[in-house]
Amino acid sequence: MALDGITPQELRDAVLWHLTYTLGKDPGHASLYDWRMAMSFSLRDRIVEPWFDSTRLTYETGAKRVYYLSLEFLIGKMLNDAATNLGLRDVAERALEGLGPRFDELVADEPDAALGNGGLGRLAACFMESLATLGVPAHGYGIRYEHGLFRQRFEGGRQVETPEDWLKQKHPWEFERPEVAYEIGFKGSVHGDSWSPGESVMATAHDMPIVGWQGKWANTLRLWAAESTNLLDLDRFNAGDYTAAAEPEALARTISRVLYPDDTTYAGKELRLKQEYFMVSAALQDILRRYFVTQTDPRQLHKHVAIQLNDTHPAIAGPELIRLLMKRGLTFEEGAGVAERVLNYTNHTLLPEALERWSTWLMGNVLPQHMDLIERLDDRHRKAHPDRPKHVGIVQNNEVHMGNLAFIMANKVNGVSALHTDLVKETVFADLHALHPGRIVNQTNGVTPRRWLKLANPALATLITDTIGEGWEADLDRLQELEPHIGDNGFATAFGAAKRANKVALSNWIGETTGIATDPDAIFDIQIKRIHEYKRQLMNILQTVALWHRIRQDPDGDWVPRVKIFGGKSAPGYAVAKEIVHLINDVAAVINADPQVKGLLKVVYPPNYNVSMAERLIPAADLSEQISTAGKEASGTGNMKFALNGTPTIGTLDGANVEIRERVGAENFFLFGMTADEVVARRRIPDHARLAIEASQTLRDVLQIVAEGRFSPDDPDRYHGIVDRMWHHDYFLVASDFDAFDAAQSRVDSAWRDPAGWQRMAALNTARVGYFSSDRTIRGYMADIWDVTPAS
Ligand SMILES: *Cc1c(COP(=O)(O)O)cnc(C)c1O
């Protein structure tokens, strides 16, 4: 099934054909959008055959299938990804020569598919790509949100959200499947084992082919859109009541209208529960329909199907699968037995506020039969484990604990880094782990090297291919072969040139988008991720203030120039995170305008961080900020993208930082701060924050400057809340880790003064992190969780 070659001329003909016959445009009058559509359709055509072949082969071999259920897929742009994996990027560039826009202009014109909040959704997207690359028969299931993650703007330094509307233009990568539709019920009443829903909507499939590296295999990402089950109410319409006539349609569509922008906190909303059930029920109905095309015995489901639940969001899959199996004649007990062998659950967080809980009232109202089944599952587990502690129960204090439900219904439960998995065993699921030893396994996260190196960093990718030959893209451990070359003059020069070119490009883009001038020879020090207290952007900006203060005291000192770059969105309702956003912008405005600093320090915060911005920033980074409070970041994947692109980390022993440091070597990682155990111990000390601040002259000065209103002269009290919480609360231990962080930043400066040494460190990061390919992660899931082998 190797991809047939295509010449630039052939692709050019295809583009012109689509422009004419699909878009109905004369090339002389085509817009950028028209050209992008025509190119997208032409490349999509190249995916259809491997896609059909993959499906056919899966049916022929009867291979076990993997289903990845996720409320989020943070995909980003698709055109460049498809061109890269098809090996047609150069061909596409040449095909367009002399026609009109350049290929990179088409790429830039595409809106990001932002159907996710951050790391969890991006992981799902990397997994889909790796599953296709490895030739695993797999489907992703999610929701086709009309509005993805909100757009972020700054007004007077404050975050302002506006709706995202990626579907306003045609989405050329999807195939609508009006014939694939399932009815999804809510509410109503239950009589025995039969449920009469009081409301229902239709879930309609939209398929996106996901093509793997070299176009050998393609899987489907099936996203569900909600539609009304009712036809237009013609009587009302004819009577002139147009609003009422359109109401059922509008209500139904609400379910797939918006992505919840709550990154880590549980959204106690009926609509959210409906979204979760909507996706899960449609997916499971679809999975069973496909199963019964070739099979007859539902008790054998586990031999043919493995289902992965990405966090607790799809955890209603347990009772729903049982319900659907009971409709096919199985008893409750048989259905539960099947479900337990098929379902698996990935835990992504230890933050207690992020483990979903629903009131039994809400669950009983929205999903009455599921509430019954949940009670029965809880009884069943209690009977099997009569001595089980109370708090492992699924239902406690009139709440359904989705984490416990997901765990109890799972064949395997996994954490996402070695440290995180240990903490899962010791904390949130300690008692369930004791009852079910062997159920929890680790699968350290990874990222796809096709998008995060080949596509995002062509300069470095080319150097790698020139140095170790082709093939590393799907065999990332081969990056180790770079190591013997790192000392070579030729390699060192080229590596430095690649990084510098990326920094010049970023500096130009920053100038265009923010108007701030930045020096490409300064350290590009980057922290990009969701804004959250545990990620400690606050510590980073306060340390920036400390540096500014120092420079002002000695403006002619021998300072290492720095550009501090921030990126990230706060959840709209997360007030503390929004204050931090505001503070970063206020600090940036003052520092960037301070003549005494003479450009030695710049602070940049481009708005609307997303996948495309990550692709732009990461290849140009010198320093990767991974500074979360130890024990709070489950894994992180941003940390892996940076290291892969030749960027040393300044970081704590948290999440996958631990494993990154083990692999790149302690001497190539700027470690600081308390360990997870020390964090727990420190929190027990009353007044830990005050003690830490009193012990640090630097931090005291910084907090004084902020409290005085130096960054908010128009509103001097603006940051009293932040400063006050630092002194009296500081749950995430910014104060306790501050001096260690500041000292680590000084070590960064010292290391930077030795350019050859720095560059060696950067190159060793690239050479030693092949392990963090999501191909390795998926192979781990295949062996330890799904029991599947590739079909191709
Ligand atoms: C990789 C990625 C993330 C996750 O970053 P972390 O630093 O691991 O939190 C979030 N958002 C986007 C757009 C990403 O590409």
Side-chain angles (χ1 to χ4, degrees):
M1 275 188 294
L3 196 73
D4 303 329
I6 180 171
T7 64
Q9 185 58 47
E10 285 164 334
L11 184 58
R12 182 191 176 89
D13 290 345
V15 169
L16 289 170
W17 189 92
H18 275 296
L19 198 62
T20 310
Y21 296 105
T22 308
L23 279 303
K25 277 291 174 88
D26 177 340
H29 295 97
S31 66
L32 189 57
Y33 167 83
D34 298 322
W35 286 109
R36 174 165 68 80
M37 288 295 141
M39 176 59 83
S40 299
F41 288 130
S42 304
L43 291 177
R44 192 183 76 174
D45 290 347
R46 314 291 304 172
I47 300 176
V48 170
E49 268 173 41
W51 194 27
F52 287 180
D53 289 345
S54 304
T55 307
R56 206 175 300 126
L57 193 71
T58 306
Y59 272 106
E60 277 166 21
T61 58
K64 188 170 179 180
R65 297 169 190 264
V66 171
Y67 294 103
Y68 198 82
L69 272 58
S70 179
L71 269 285
E72 303 191 11
F73 286 90
L74 187 50
I75 297 166
K77 299 183 194 293
M78 302 204 53
L79 172 55
N80 202 4
D81 189 56
T84 301
N85 275 3
L86 292 170
L88 293 177
R89 205 155 61 169
D90 294 343
V91 173
E93 273 165 25
R94 282 168 46 208
L96 289 166
E97 269 165 24
L99 278 187
R102 292 191 319 272
F103 184 66
D104 58 350
E105 293 176 287
L106 303 191
V107 167
D109 182 59
E110 182 180 355
D112 271 41
L115 310 184
N117 277 290
L120 174 151
R122 185 52 234 174
L123 185 76
C126 282
F127 279 6
M128 288 307 298
E129 200 272 354
S130 276
L131 284 161
T133 291
L134 294 174
V136 180
H139 283 74
Y141 282 112
I143 294 180
R144 182 180 180 271
Y145 300 107
E146 267 176 65
H147 303 283
L149 185 59
F150 66 85
R151 283 206 196 100
Q152 177 196 53
R153 284 188 293 122
F154 298 133
E155 260 175 36
R158 283 190 180 81
Q159 171 173 302
V160 177
E161 303 94 27
T162 49
E164 187 280 340
D165 55 3
W166 71 301
L167 289 177
K168 226 171 98 181
Q169 298 176 331
K170 186 169 175 49
H171 178 45
W173 300 99
E174 73 179 2
F175 293 89
E176 190 180 350
R177 307 287 191 208
E179 77 284 8
V180 183
Y182 299 98
E183 190 165 344
I184 314 293
F186 303 103
K187 303 198 173 178
S189 54
V190 177
H191 308 280
D193 280 338
S194 132
W195 171 30
S196 319
E199 312 171 353
S200 66
V201 299
M202 296 307 292
T204 308
H206 295 251
D207 289 349
M208 261 191 238
I210 306 288
V211 68
W213 173 239
Q214 294 186 319
K216 291 179 196 155
W217 187 270
N219 284 322
T220 305
L221 173 58
R222 176 160 281 184
L223 301 178
W224 302 103
E227 282 170 21
S228 170
T229 43
N230 307 324
L231 297 173
L232 183 69
D233 188 335
L234 253 194
D235 289 341
R236 278 188 159 155
F237 191 90
N238 288 337
D241 194 351
Y242 307 122
T243 313
E247 208 167 86
E249 181 66 35
L251 269 176
R253 277 180 53 197
T254 307
I255 289 182
S256 55
R257 184 93 67 181
V258 291
L259 165 77
Y260 265 83
D262 253 280
D263 189 35
T264 56
T265 58
Y266 141 83
K269 299 281 195 314
E270 176 179 318
L271 180 59
R272 171 72 176 187
L273 179 59
K274 282 184 162 180
Q275 284 186 330
E276 294 181 353
Y277 177 64
F278 167 80
M279 191 281 280
V280 164
S281 179
L284 291 177
Q285 291 187 59
D286 202 40
I287 291 168
L288 290 179
R289 178 198 52 77
R290 191 173 298 111
Y291 176 76
F292 286 113
V293 171
T294 57
Q295 303 294 320
T296 52
D297 184 0
R299 291 167 195 84
Q300 302 298 314
L301 191 67
H302 64 283
K303 292 192 179 150
H304 303 272
V305 166
I307 298 175
Q308 194 66 38
L309 308 180
N310 194 23
D311 211 318
T312 56
H313 315 148
I316 196 69
E320 174 65 2
L321 182 53
I322 296 171
R323 184 184 78 85
L324 294 172
L325 290 170
M326 286 169 73
K327 280 177 59 173
R328 301 227 177 215
L330 266 57
T331 64
F332 167 76
E333 193 50 45
E334 287 173 324
V338 170
E340 285 172 339
R341 299 177 81 171
V342 168
L343 299 172
N344 305 282
Y345 155 54
T346 303
N347 173 277
H348 282 276
T349 177
L350 303 165
L351 300 179
E353 67 271 25
L355 284 172
E356 289 178 294
R357 285 172 291 153
W358 303 105
S359 80
T360 50
W361 182 87
L362 181 66
M363 184 67 82
N365 179 31
V366 176
L367 299 171
Q369 188 177 19
H370 297 76
M371 190 62 237
D372 278 1
L373 292 169
I374 286 168
E375 302 273 12
R376 287 167 79 177
L377 286 166
D378 208 12
D379 283 343
R380 179 174 176 268
H381 189 259
R382 190 182 302 109
K383 288 201 184 98
H385 306 277
D387 302 326
R388 73 172 201 185
K390 272 211 166 53
H391 62 267
V392 308
I394 305 174
V395 181
Q396 301 166 52
N397 304 324
N398 301 318
E399 283 185 323
V400 183
H401 287 241
M402 300 305 271
N404 290 350
L405 173 64
F407 190 111
I408 285 169
M409 293 307 298
N411 164 50
K412 286 286 191 296
V413 173
N414 75 285
V416 289
S417 72
L419 173 66
H420 168 67
T421 300
D422 286 345
L423 293 172
V424 167
K425 289 180 183 170
E426 289 163 18
T427 63
V428 263
F429 291 128
D431 290 310
L432 281 168
H433 173 53
L435 292 176
H436 306 279
R439 186 173 297 187
I440 300 180
V441 296
N442 180 54
Q443 299 299 341
T444 298
N445 283 167
V447 298
T448 166
R450 274 74 64 184
R451 182 179 287 266
W452 293 109
L453 182 48
K454 184 85 174 174
L455 175 159
N457 198 345
L460 181 56
T462 304
L463 172 61
I464 292 169
T465 304
D466 290 348
T467 310
I468 64 171
E470 308 210 333
W472 54 269
E473 296 92 338
D475 184 7
L476 207 62
D477 287 330
R478 282 198 51 215
L479 292 182
Q480 284 166 10
E481 295 168 26
L482 290 171
E483 205 162 326
H485 300 278
I486 286 176
D488 299 352
N489 277 339
F491 181 87
T493 307
F495 187 89
K499 182 64 85 180
R500 190 158 199 294
N502 293 336
K503 289 174 71 178
V504 168
L506 178 59
S507 179
N508 291 337
W509 177 80
I510 288 173
E512 285 156 23
T513 50
T514 68
I516 299 167
T518 50
D519 172 7
D521 292 317
I523 302 180
F524 279 21
D525 165 339
I526 307 191
Q527 186 174 22
I528 42 175
K529 47 186 77 243
R530 286 299 288 252
I531 308 295
H532 204 290
E533 289 166 279
Y534 84 80
K535 292 178 182 274
R536 298 200 292 193
Q537 283 93 354
L538 179 59
M539 185 165 74
N540 195 1
I541 195 64
L542 293 177
Q543 197 274 334
T544 306
V545 173
L547 177 57
W548 173 67
H549 188 53
R550 255 178 233 136
I551 295 175
R552 283 169 59 88
Q553 285 168 337
D554 180 13
D556 299 317
D558 181 20
W559 301 104
V560 176
R562 282 232 195 195
V563 180
K564 303 276 314 186
I565 301 172
F566 293 83
K569 297 175 182 176
S570 157
Y574 188 172
V576 177
K578 286 189 138 177
E579 278 185 78
I580 295 168
V581 168
H582 200 176
L583 177 63
I584 296 169
N585 280 319
D586 277 352
V587 168
V590 170
I591 292 181
N592 295 343
D594 182 353
Q596 263 187 285
V597 174
K598 291 188 284 205
L600 288 166
L601 177 62
K602 287 284 171 77
V603 183
V604 193
Y605 190 172
N608 203 40
Y609 175 57
N610 59 11
V611 170
S612 295
M613 197 192 290
E615 289 166 8
R616 191 187 293 279
L617 265 54
I618 290 168
D622 294 309
L623 187 66
S624 161
E625 297 270 357
Q626 309 298 338
I627 61 177
S628 51
T629 315
K632 292 295 172 192
E633 188 73 86
S635 165
T637 49
N639 46 5
M640 301 168 186
K641 301 168 195 164
F642 279 104
L644 186 59
N645 282 277
T647 310
T649 303
I650 183 167
T652 48
L653 282 180
D654 200 15
N657 293 355
V658 177
E659 290 156 85
I660 291 174
R661 180 168 171 269
E662 274 166 14
R663 278 161 207 277
V664 303
E667 65 287 5
N668 301 308
F669 187 110
F670 297 94
L671 179 70
F672 74 93
M674 287 180 284
T675 63
D677 289 341
E678 288 166 353
V679 162
V680 172
R682 179 64 57 98
R683 281 215 188 95
R684 293 213 190 94
I685 301 176
D687 269 2
H688 58 80
R690 186 177 54 76
L691 294 171
I693 297 169
E694 283 173 354
S696 168
Q697 178 74 48
T698 310
L699 182 54
R700 265 199 328 274
D701 290 349
V702 167
L703 290 177
Q704 179 65 30
I705 293 170
V706 175
E708 277 170 4
R710 290 274 283 283
F711 303 109
S712 52
D714 53 322
D715 179 11
D717 294 343
R718 183 174 295 155
Y719 297 113
H720 277 189
I722 284 187
V723 173
D724 203 59
R725 277 193 302 278
M726 281 284 298
W727 277 93
H728 302 294
H729 184 57
D730 194 26
Y731 182 75
F732 294 100
L733 301 173
V734 170
S736 295
D737 267 344
F738 186 85
D739 278 356
F741 179 55
D742 194 36
Q745 292 288 16
S746 302
R747 299 205 305 276
V748 168
D749 284 344
S750 307
W752 184 261
R753 290 176 198 276
D754 166 17
W758 182 278
Q759 188 170 300
R760 187 180 155 71
M761 181 165 61
L764 281 172
N765 266 267
T766 298
R768 293 180 177 176
V769 295
Y771 178 77
F772 298 100
S773 166
S774 44
D775 299 346
R776 185 268 311 151
T777 313
I778 288 297
R779 286 200 181 92
Y781 279 80
M782 290 166 69
D784 306 339
I785 301 181
W786 302 329
D787 190 26
V788 299
T789 47
S792 68

